[in-house]
Amino acid sequence: MSAIVLVLLGLGGMAAGYLFYSRFIARHIYKLDEQFRTPAHEFEDGVDFVPTNRFVLWGHHFTSVAGAAPIVGPAIAVIWGWLPAFLWVVFGTIFFAGVHDMGAIWASVRNRAKSVGALTGEVVGKRARSVFMIVIFLVLLMVNAVFGVVIARLLINNPGAVVPVWGAIAVALVIGQLIYRRILGLGIVSIIGVVILYALIYVGPSVPITLPEQTFGLSASASWILLLFAYAAVASLLPVWMLLQPRDYINGLQLFVGLILLYGAALIGNPSVVAPMVNDALPMNTPSMIPLLFVTIACGAISGFHGLVASGTTSKQLNRETDARFVGYFGAVGEGALALAAIVAATAGFASLADWQAVYSAFGQGGVTAFVNGGAAILANGLGLDQAVAATLLTVMAALFAGTTMDTGLRLQRYIFQEWGEIYGIKWLGKALPATMLAVASCLILAFGAGGADGSGGLLIWPLFGTTNQLLAGLTLLVITVMLVRSHRPARYTLIPLIFLLAMTLCALLLQLKTFYDKGDWFLLGLDIVVLVAAILVTLECSASLLRHKREADASSS
């Protein structure tokens, strides 16, 4: 089958979702009000609370939530066939992710830009808040610790990506000054930034940079991880307008240019999808598609991490409440488009079915490698790009998004420590610097304490990321649903997705419980039990609150 069919149907469906469904949800369910005074104006401080142009904020939100996950998940999940992955990405984006992301922004903005964890305390209760924040902390710990490893390996495997990856930081710093001080208009700054970024991508392969195999007893991977966390710590402390916003914005533009090139190459080259529609010849030990498909593809369909970004940094920068539709829902559409590109690259970027099967010989294979190699082949065949330059472009795309997710994730982890300081009356913990140091220390303890000298310890708990992340999305939808019921508004548009998501996630947690037990992996088994118990406790608390408010709403209406 032609890849053009997937591209047109997928992008057309998501565009229709934004144009029609998101407008309905924004007007009639969340009732976004342009006159509402957002926390960005109410608590403006020039550091975290900064009213921001919606296009710039969209870039921050989109690239913060994108990371490498919408590439890795779909490029692994196509082992079950391209059709299940395609349907979950498209319909998940329209009816799940967009509603979830816009709703998380709305809920936070209506509650002084509190994170979804702290917000749970006011909407549901203190017990639910305490348990929920543990789940949030685990998700952030996984994201930060693992993405450090992912970026380090990308830089080691493709030294030509080092210059554009680190050069993007310098570009962002300059752009931040130009935009904030209104030296140049946003349009001119955008063009200049994208041109410089792509020039760095073109130059990168000719000036590869590698770190020594050993530096003070540390491997190259460990050295890169330490450098990345040092950068992320500084980035999390700087005012958002100085680095975080412009870096995310310019990366967002870079991604759209990259997606246009990739989709354009697919339309011109017309590659064939060689992977099966539904794979009847699965490799041994491949888990059941249901429920694992819905946790393998998280980012790109719906992801709990999006709720953390939406309620953690995005809500503090929202200029008008009505911007939540463009920033939240369209941000989800952008990520869905990236996930769709990963599916196309991982199914149509191979010469034959035999070549595809050679890569997908076991569950967990594919991922970033299939995206980069398959996508580079599509770019080379469709646009005539040099294969090395095309591979560098896609590697930089993956690394830059993992980096933006990592520095936003560390900032969010800092917020969690600060909120704990506020909740439990620990004054020193409420300050930015000690909270940041604790966030970095917790990630490094996991990375090096569990992983040894190479800093890959975060990978030990990564198998739980998909289920924990989707659990977080379901619980965020639960909190939003409680708010809707309290406001006497229709709740079925969030209630149906959350029931489906919680059902799939809890089933996946139970299946993983058996897998970890059979393998004798007691660490992951214990962590799985902690997450499962937390999920059940928060679900019960939220359900009780939901039923109570539903009875009150019914009584008041009668």
Side-chain angles (χ1 to χ4, degrees):
M1 189 188 76
S2 169
I4 293 177
V5 176
L6 290 185
V7 172
L8 295 180
L9 287 177
L11 293 182
M14 287 186 274
Y18 174 71
L19 291 173
F20 303 109
Y21 191 61
S22 74
R23 182 180 288 115
F24 168 78
I25 296 294
R27 289 181 178 177
H28 302 289
I29 307 303
Y30 297 139
K31 298 183 179 180
L32 302 182
D33 181 4
E34 188 171 359
Q35 302 304 317
F36 180 78
R37 192 181 184 209
T38 64
H41 290 281
E42 186 177 356
F43 306 114
E44 185 174 359
D45 60 5
V47 179
D48 294 318
F49 291 86
V50 180
T52 303
N53 177 287
R54 66 174 184 154
F55 294 100
V56 176
L57 184 56
W58 172 85
H60 156 71
H61 178 80
F62 166 50
T63 55
S64 293
V65 301
I71 295 172
V72 175
I76 289 175
V78 293
I79 195 169
W80 288 300
W82 63 260
L83 182 62
F86 173 80
L87 292 176
W88 175 228
V89 163
V90 174
F91 288 105
T93 295
I94 296 170
F95 297 108
F96 287 66
V99 175
H100 169 274
D101 290 17
M102 178 168 46
I105 297 174
W106 165 75
S108 180
V109 164
R110 286 285 168 163
N111 289 274
R112 303 182 303 284
K114 288 192 173 184
S115 74
V116 68
L119 174 61
T120 306
E122 295 189 6
V123 176
V124 181
K126 293 182 178 179
R127 285 182 300 184
R129 177 192 65 192
S130 300
V131 178
F132 201 173
M133 290 185 78
I134 292 173
V135 176
I136 292 171
F137 180 78
L138 285 174
V139 169
L140 290 173
L141 190 64
M142 292 177 196
V143 168
N144 293 333
V146 171
F147 276 21
V149 180
V150 170
I151 300 169
R153 291 183 176 178
L154 284 170
L155 296 178
I156 290 170
N157 293 335
N158 193 339
V162 174
V163 168
V165 166
W166 288 96
I169 298 171
V171 173
L173 286 168
V174 174
I175 285 176
Q177 295 294 326
L178 294 175
I179 294 175
Y180 184 73
R181 301 187 187 282
R182 294 180 172 84
I183 297 172
L184 291 174
L186 184 61
I188 297 174
V189 170
S190 302
I191 294 170
I192 292 172
V194 171
V195 169
I196 294 175
L197 200 56
Y198 273 92
L200 290 172
I201 291 172
Y202 182 79
V203 170
S206 60
V207 283
I209 295 176
T210 57
L211 293 183
E213 290 187 10
Q214 290 290 323
T215 305
F216 300 112
L218 295 173
S219 66
S221 176
S223 297
W224 276 127
I225 290 170
L226 289 174
L227 287 171
L228 288 164
F229 272 106
Y231 153 74
V234 173
S236 74
L237 290 168
L238 290 175
V240 289
W241 64 265
M242 189 176 291
L243 179 58
L244 197 68
Q245 278 184 1
R247 172 171 157 80
D248 292 350
Y249 173 66
I250 204 67
N251 284 347
L253 293 179
Q254 181 258 348
L255 171 66
F256 256 97
V257 173
L259 286 178
I260 289 170
L261 291 175
L262 189 55
Y263 283 131
L267 293 174
I268 294 170
N270 192 20
S272 296
V273 176
V274 299
M277 180 184 293
V278 177
N279 194 1
D280 294 324
L282 291 170
M284 289 186 62
N285 300 320
T286 300
S288 169
M289 181 177 71
I290 298 176
L292 268 297
L293 170 70
F294 304 102
V295 297
T296 301
I297 300 179
C299 298
I302 182 172
S303 165
F305 184 73
H306 292 206
L308 299 185
V309 175
S311 65
T313 58
T314 304
S315 62
K316 294 177 175 63
Q317 302 169 62
L318 200 73
N319 187 35
R320 296 184 180 89
E321 190 179 58
T322 48
D323 290 346
R325 176 183 170 231
F326 179 79
V327 174
Y329 198 102
F330 194 60
V333 168
E335 186 166 73
L338 177 57
L340 178 63
I343 292 173
V344 171
T347 58
F350 296 85
S352 66
L353 175 60
D355 291 336
W356 182 86
Q357 289 173 330
V359 172
Y360 288 89
S361 57
F363 183 72
Q365 299 299 307
V368 173
T369 302
F371 171 75
V372 170
N373 293 339
I378 292 174
L379 286 169
N381 294 331
L383 300 179
L385 282 181
D386 178 76
Q387 190 93 6
V389 172
T392 300
L393 187 153
L394 296 176
T395 300
V396 170
M397 184 187 293
L400 285 178
F401 288 125
T404 54
T405 300
M406 184 179 170
D407 52 22
T408 299
L410 197 67
R411 198 179 194 98
L412 293 173
Q413 208 167 355
R414 185 250 285 181
Y415 290 161
I416 292 293
F417 277 110
Q418 287 183 285
E419 286 178 349
W420 275 335
E422 180 183 340
I423 291 168
Y424 299 110
I426 307 172
K427 291 185 178 180
W428 64 269
L429 191 55
K431 297 179 180 178
L433 182 59
T436 299
M437 294 301 102
L438 282 175
V440 172
S442 61
C443 293
L444 291 180
I445 287 171
L446 174 62
F448 289 93
D454 67 346
S456 62
L459 296 175
L460 293 178
I461 62 174
W462 187 250
L464 272 174
F465 171 74
T467 47
T468 308
N469 185 48
Q470 295 303 73
L471 166 66
L472 184 57
L475 297 179
T476 300
L477 283 171
L478 199 47
V479 172
I480 295 169
T481 302
V482 172
M483 285 186 62
L484 290 173
V485 171
R486 285 174 58 177
S487 303
H488 306 284
R489 300 178 191 178
R492 59 182 175 275
Y493 302 97
T494 56
L495 184 63
I496 293 171
L498 86 83
I499 290 173
F500 176 83
L501 202 59
L502 284 180
M504 292 298 106
T505 303
L506 291 174
C507 287
L509 277 169
L510 291 171
L511 283 176
Q512 285 187 317
L513 206 64
K514 182 179 184 304
T515 301
F516 298 146
Y517 178 80
D518 291 342
K519 290 182 177 179
D521 194 332
W522 309 118
F523 174 70
L524 283 178
L525 180 70
L527 199 57
D528 193 321
I529 292 172
V530 169
V531 173
L532 186 60
V533 170
I536 293 171
L537 290 175
V538 176
T539 301
L540 290 175
E541 289 279 344
C542 289
S543 298
S545 177
L546 186 63
L547 291 172
R548 184 174 67 254
H549 289 298
K550 182 70 169 63
R551 285 194 297 269
E552 291 173 357
D554 291 341
S556 63
S557 62
S558 61

